[in-house]
Amino acid sequence: MTNQARILATAEFNPDIKKYLLVFSILVSTATIAGILLIPFILVIAPILIRKYFDRLSCELTTRALRFEKGFIFHIERTIPLDKIQDLTFKEGPLLRAFGLSILKVETAGNTGQGTSDLTLIGIVDAAAFRQMVLEQRDVVTDNSLSAANSDSVEQGETAALLRDIRDTLGRIEKKI
């Protein structure tokens, strides 16, 4: 395939994600009595799982898509074509700000529910610059697809004109017979 997608940028993730995930899991576990009882186990096991999760995080922007990979126990790989991306939204809460992190939500045309996103990227280093690169590449891809669609419609118009000429010629030939 000669039209291979080329990697334009690779997102780097902030190592503070590990601390954030540990604190977040402890805060969530304090919501129930059973969760409070599990905190010692969370403090022992969670850092190991979180480290392995962090090691598997990757996100690449290619000429055609945004590719994301994560997961230690459950491996998830998502590829979202750039022309399907509708919006990239930042989210920062008090806990995220305390760790110097932000969430970048990728929303596509096929969102299933209100307020949901197709992809959530936590802790990208310089997320604003990465967001801008994705939006610029999306514009390049959509501009190219629009110009290709316009050239297709021009070709279709030329084909239709040619077919009308052939029809008229056949009609004149039929009258002479």
Side-chain angles (χ1 to χ4, degrees):
M1 191 166 157
T2 58
N3 212 1
Q4 194 86 11
R6 181 173 52 88
I7 297 173
L8 299 175
T10 302
E12 184 180 332
F13 290 90
N14 189 334
D16 287 340
I17 294 173
K18 295 183 269 189
K19 294 175 195 170
Y20 166 77
L21 291 174
L22 182 62
V23 170
F24 183 76
S25 62
I26 290 170
L27 288 175
V28 169
S29 67
T30 60
T32 64
I33 294 172
I36 292 171
L37 297 174
L38 291 175
I39 289 176
F41 297 106
I42 291 172
L43 290 172
V44 172
I45 295 171
I48 297 166
L49 297 176
I50 289 170
R51 184 174 23 87
K52 291 185 181 212
Y53 171 84
F54 180 77
D55 292 340
R56 301 260 174 117
L57 278 176
S58 71
C59 183
E60 295 175 339
L61 171 63
T62 68
T63 52
R64 295 189 214 154
L66 184 63
R67 195 182 72 72
F68 177 67
E69 202 171 332
K70 71 177 180 179
F72 166 61
I73 296 171
F74 299 103
H75 184 259
I76 298 170
E77 184 175 332
R78 295 284 318 264
T79 302
I80 299 176
L82 292 174
D83 59 344
K84 302 294 182 214
I85 294 176
Q86 295 293 311
D87 191 23
L88 292 162
T89 308
F90 275 115
K91 179 182 175 186
E92 287 183 337
L95 187 60
L96 287 165
R97 274 193 298 270
F99 289 98
L101 303 172
S102 63
I103 294 176
L104 185 62
K105 289 185 172 190
V106 180
E107 298 172 9
T108 64
N111 274 358
T112 56
Q114 186 74 341
T116 62
S117 63
D118 287 312
L119 183 60
T120 302
L121 306 169
I122 300 174
I124 292 179
V125 174
D126 200 7
F130 187 76
R131 176 183 186 262
Q132 191 60 37
M133 282 190 289
V134 172
L135 291 174
E136 287 172 0
Q137 186 60 28
R138 180 200 59 183
D139 291 344
V140 167
V141 168
T142 55
D143 288 346
N144 287 343
S145 64
L146 285 176
S147 64
N150 288 340
S151 69
D152 284 347
S153 64
V154 168
E155 288 177 14
Q156 288 176 356
E158 292 171 356
T159 302
L162 180 62
L163 287 173
R164 280 192 295 275
D165 288 343
I166 292 171
R167 180 196 63 203
D168 294 343
T169 303
L170 286 174
R172 284 191 304 270
I173 291 172
E174 200 174 65
K175 285 181 186 176
K176 290 185 178 183
I177 295 181

